[in-house]
């Protein structure tokens, strides 16, 4: 990775305003559009409008936002960035690095499960956000109800087509729109707070406590709807790599948080004054003349809301591939300045297909709200548990301090998880099913790779001994001019592509570079630490490459670093051939490490992975692929 590319955490002050603008446009779309449906769903769950219900629910929303988003994510979890990157996989890599070795595999499993659940709920966010805004047209003309689903599908199609332009471009376009959105939220809220100032009393957490104490069963169900106000919290953390923690914190504290609080309180005052507005308290809060402009603005804002989870899913996919939990997937860098800004075509298409299904199947925001929250609530709980290892092992907090912070946060998350369990039969099965499928794929691919590496270490010949016996013997193979590079090998073992080349072509190149890669639990590895070169003699070099989990291996760029460590050799593209093993994995059922169905799944994933030449950025006209077979 070129050293000229910098992470968001290293941006200069001159770029801060643009990063804040981009963060407003991308990061806060999800949580920023929650007022469209949160209070409405909470009041429905509470069973009616009364002052204790409204005050209690508004107080619960306020303090949930303060505790979960402001205190937990913005103030606490974002401190645990992995060299500028966020998200549960980055956190898992960081925790695994500092936790006791015996717990490493457990933490990886927890992190992968959390990532899978994040994917599950990220499918619902675009659907519920856009539908909830488009539903505002029914207040303009009830006859437009039949057009809600078609209009939503057209809007979502346009959004997913826009992704290939990159997060930075999207953020700059969306940022100004979201600033107008948050100002509008604040203005609408203030309008009704001024008309009913008694709602300000709900700032006191006593109202939330009384609401819960008066009817614990009802309150428990209501908490599942209160959670709708928090669903953008995990996406906020996952998108940290795109813009950096400081711009996100500034945007949250100075604009987003005040606007959300004012709007929720304004809606509370409105429904107390006019109970009939409970069906659409957000849109009913606007003056009649402003309804159509508000519907249009809300639609624009909900398009942007979808962006937070889409860009977060892109970042998480890139991490998962490098950490070995997903097969090679083409990843497109959309910025020469921000390493975190990527576009993943396969994930974009997959999310789009899932969102279309949800819109067509559930048809309304009410139905989608019943399915929303269970998966991301689980991810939030796992994030808190992983933070225990960060505070204890990395930050060296005393046990009492760790318990005082982690204990209450884990309790709050556990309450939200349990309150969302009731949604499973009403549609929560979809994100859980999607997350479960992804978890199975990710763990199968990870374990399958381990089995393949173990098999290669058993079946392949140690590289150093083979080179010595081949080249130092009485009948060395003929040598030809040029350089042969063998990427993607296992350290210390002879690549199968090298053996196939000897078998079929019966020659060796003048220079042979055997390249084995490893992924560190850090996002980026500096150039001076990236390669280690061992001279095995006879023009043969063993190269160990260290990549971060946010880096895609670029073999030609790595060879420029290798050239600095091999005397009298320079990388000449026209004089270099790249030999890749195109191994076919066969599921035989003989391995005790994996069940037969998992072996077949692993083989299927391997057949459909992106081509190694594309993944390693190799020039197509200099690549030689040699086939082999690996029996599991």
């Amino acid at each position: 990775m070129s050293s000229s590319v910098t992470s968001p955490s290293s941006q200069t002050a001159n770029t801060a305003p643009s990063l804040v603008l981009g963060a407003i446009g991308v990061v806060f779309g999800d949580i920023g559009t929650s007022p469209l449906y949160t209070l409405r769903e909470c009041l429905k769950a509470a069973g009616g409008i009364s002052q204790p219900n409204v005050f209690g629910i508004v107080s619960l929303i306020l303090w949930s936002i303060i505790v979960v988003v402001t205190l937990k994510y913005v103030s606490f979890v974002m401190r645990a960035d992995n060299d500028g990157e966020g998200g549960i996989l980055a956190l898992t890599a960081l925790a695994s690095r500092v936790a006791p070795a015996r717990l490493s595999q457990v933490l990886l499993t927890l992190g992968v499960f959390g990532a899978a659940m994040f994917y599950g709920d990220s499918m619902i966010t675009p659907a519920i956000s856009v539908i909830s805004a488009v539903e505002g047209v029914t207040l303009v003309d009830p006859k437009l109800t039949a057009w809600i689903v078609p209009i939503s599908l057209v809007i979502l199609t346009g959004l997913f087509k826009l992704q290939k332009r990159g997060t930075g471009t999207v953020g700059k376009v969306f940022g100004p729109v979201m600033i107008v959105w948050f100002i509008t939220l604040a203005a609408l809220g203030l309008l009704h707070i001024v008309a009913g100032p008694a709602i300000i009393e709900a700032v006191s957490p006593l109202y939330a406590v009384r609401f819960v104490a008066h009817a614990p069963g009802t309150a428990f169900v209501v908490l599942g709807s209160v959670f709708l106000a928090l669903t953008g919290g995990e996406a906020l953390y996952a998108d940290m790599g795109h813009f950096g923690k400081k711009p996100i914190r500034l945007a949250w504290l100075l604009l987003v948080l005040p606007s959300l609080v004012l709007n929720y309180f304004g809606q509370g005052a409105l429904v107390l004054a006019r109970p009939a507005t409970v069906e659409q308290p957000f849109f009913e809060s606007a003056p009649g003349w402003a309804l159509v402009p508000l519907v249009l603005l809300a639609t624009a804002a909900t398009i942007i809301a979808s962006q937070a989870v889409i860009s977060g899913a892109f970042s998480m996919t890139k991490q998962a591939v490098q950490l070995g939990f997903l097969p090679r997937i083409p990843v497109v860098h959309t910025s020469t300045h921000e390493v975190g800004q990527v576009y993943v075509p396969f994930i974009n298409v997959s999310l789009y297909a899932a969102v279309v299904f949800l819109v067509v199947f559930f048809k309304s925001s009410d139905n989608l709200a019943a399915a929303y929250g269970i998966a991301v609530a689980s991810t939030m709980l796992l994030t808190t548990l992983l933070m225990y290892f960060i505070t204890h092992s990395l930050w060296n907090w005393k046990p009492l301090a760790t318990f005082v912070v982690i204990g209450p946060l884990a309790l709050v998350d556990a309450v939200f998880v349990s309150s969302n369990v009731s949604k499973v039969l009403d549609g929560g099965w979809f994100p859980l099913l999607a997350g479960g499928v992804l978890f199975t794929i990710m763990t199968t691919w990870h374990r399958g790779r381990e089995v393949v590496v173990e098999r290669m270490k058993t079946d392949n010949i140690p590289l150093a001994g083979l080179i010595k016996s081949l080249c130092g013997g009485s009948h060395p193979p003929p040598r030809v001019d040029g350089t042969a590079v063998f990427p993607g090998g296992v350290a210390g073992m002879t690549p199968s592509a090298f053996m196939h080349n000897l078998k079929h072509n019966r020659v060796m190149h003048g220079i042979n570079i055997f390249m084995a890669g490893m992924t560190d639990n850090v996002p980026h590895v500096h150039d001076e630490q990236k390669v280690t070169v061992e001279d095995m003699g006879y023009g043969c070099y063993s190269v160990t490459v260290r990549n971060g989990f946010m880096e895609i291996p670029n073999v030609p760029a790595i060879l420029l670093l290798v050239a600095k460590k091999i005397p009298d050799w320079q990388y000449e593209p026209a004089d270099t051939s790249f030999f890749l093993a195109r191994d076919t994995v066969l599921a035989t059922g003989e391995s005790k490490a994996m069940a037969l169905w998992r072996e077949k799944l692993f083989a299927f994933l391997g057949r459909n992975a992106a081509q190694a030449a594309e993944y390693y950025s190799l020039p197509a006209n200099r690549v030689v692929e040699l086939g082999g077979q690996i029996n599991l």
Side-chain angles (χ1 to χ4, degrees), residues 350-361:
S350 300
L351 283 177
Y352 174 67
V355 168
V356 168
F357 167 79
L358 287 166
V359 170
V360 173
F361 184 81

Side-chain angles (χ1 to χ4, degrees), residues 16 132 171 245 251 253 256 263 327 333 342 370 388 390 398 473 526 540 562 605 612:
S132 62
K245 65 180 71 172
L253 295 173
V256 180
N263 193 264
H333 286 271
V342 294
Y388 166 81
I390 302 299
K398 293 181 180 180
H526 295 297
C540 297
V562 172
L605 293 172

Side-chain angles (χ1 to χ4, degrees), residues 480-487 509-513 515 555-556 559-560 562-563 569-579 618-624:
V480 296
D481 292 337
T483 299
V485 179
F486 301 88
H509 283 69
I511 299 294
N512 295 272
I513 296 176
M515 196 173 288
V555 170
L559 288 174
L560 295 176
V562 172
W569 178 79
Q570 294 296 322
Y571 169 52
E572 296 291 345
D575 203 31
T576 302
S577 298
F578 300 91
F579 291 85
L618 302 178
N621 62 342
R622 304 301 304 174
V623 173
V624 179

Side-chain angles (χ1 to χ4, degrees), residues 82-339:
N82 196 333
D83 195 22
E85 294 295 335
I88 194 165
L89 282 182
L91 183 64
T92 299
L94 184 61
S96 300
R97 201 165 75 216
V98 298
R102 67 182 184 277
L103 295 176
S104 178
Q105 193 61 44
V106 175
L107 294 181
L108 284 174
T109 302
L110 289 177
V112 171
F113 182 77
M117 290 301 104
F118 175 86
Y119 278 119
D121 254 3
S122 69
M123 298 172 182
I124 295 186
T125 296
I128 190 174
S129 298
V130 172
I131 281 186
S132 62
V134 176
E135 284 173 344
V137 302
T138 60
L139 296 179
V140 178
D141 186 349
K143 296 180 181 178
L144 295 174
T145 301
W147 288 92
I148 290 175
V149 170
I151 292 172
S152 299
L153 291 176
V154 169
I155 291 170
L156 288 164
T157 300
L159 172 66
F160 280 94
K161 281 186 172 293
L162 188 63
Q163 294 306 309
K164 61 185 177 183
R165 296 185 178 272
T167 307
T169 300
V170 171
K172 289 176 182 177
V173 173
F174 287 170
V177 177
M178 288 307 293
I179 288 177
V180 174
W181 171 253
F182 285 117
I183 291 173
T184 301
L185 288 183
L188 291 175
L190 277 172
L191 178 67
H192 295 285
I193 291 172
V194 170
I199 193 68
I200 297 175
E201 295 178 28
V203 168
S204 171
L206 290 176
Y207 285 97
V209 173
R210 290 171 187 166
F211 177 76
V212 173
H214 176 70
T218 300
F220 186 73
V221 175
V222 169
L223 281 171
S225 297
V226 169
F227 188 76
L228 296 173
L230 312 175
T231 51
E234 189 67 31
L236 178 152
Y237 179 48
D239 280 330
M240 184 170 64
H242 291 255
F243 302 100
K245 65 180 71 172
K246 186 175 180 180
I248 291 175
R249 283 173 171 166
L250 286 173
W252 172 256
L253 295 173
L254 297 180
L255 177 63
V256 180
L257 175 61
S259 300
L260 291 174
V261 171
L262 287 171
N263 193 264
Y264 282 123
F265 273 67
Q267 287 189 46
L270 172 65
V271 296
L272 281 175
R274 295 160 51 197
T277 61
V278 71
E279 289 299 321
Q280 286 285 4
F282 176 80
F283 288 110
E284 293 279 11
S285 66
W289 60 267
L291 180 58
V292 173
L294 183 61
V295 170
L296 295 175
L297 178 60
T299 302
T302 52
I303 293 171
I304 298 165
S306 308
Q307 185 63 50
V309 291
I310 295 172
S311 54
F314 291 163
S315 292
M316 195 168 293
T317 300
K318 183 180 178 184
Q319 296 174 20
V321 170
Q322 280 303 96
L323 289 170
F325 290 108
L326 285 175
R328 294 185 300 266
I329 299 175
V331 176
V332 179
H333 286 271
T334 58
S335 172
T336 58
H337 304 291
E338 309 295 334
V339 295

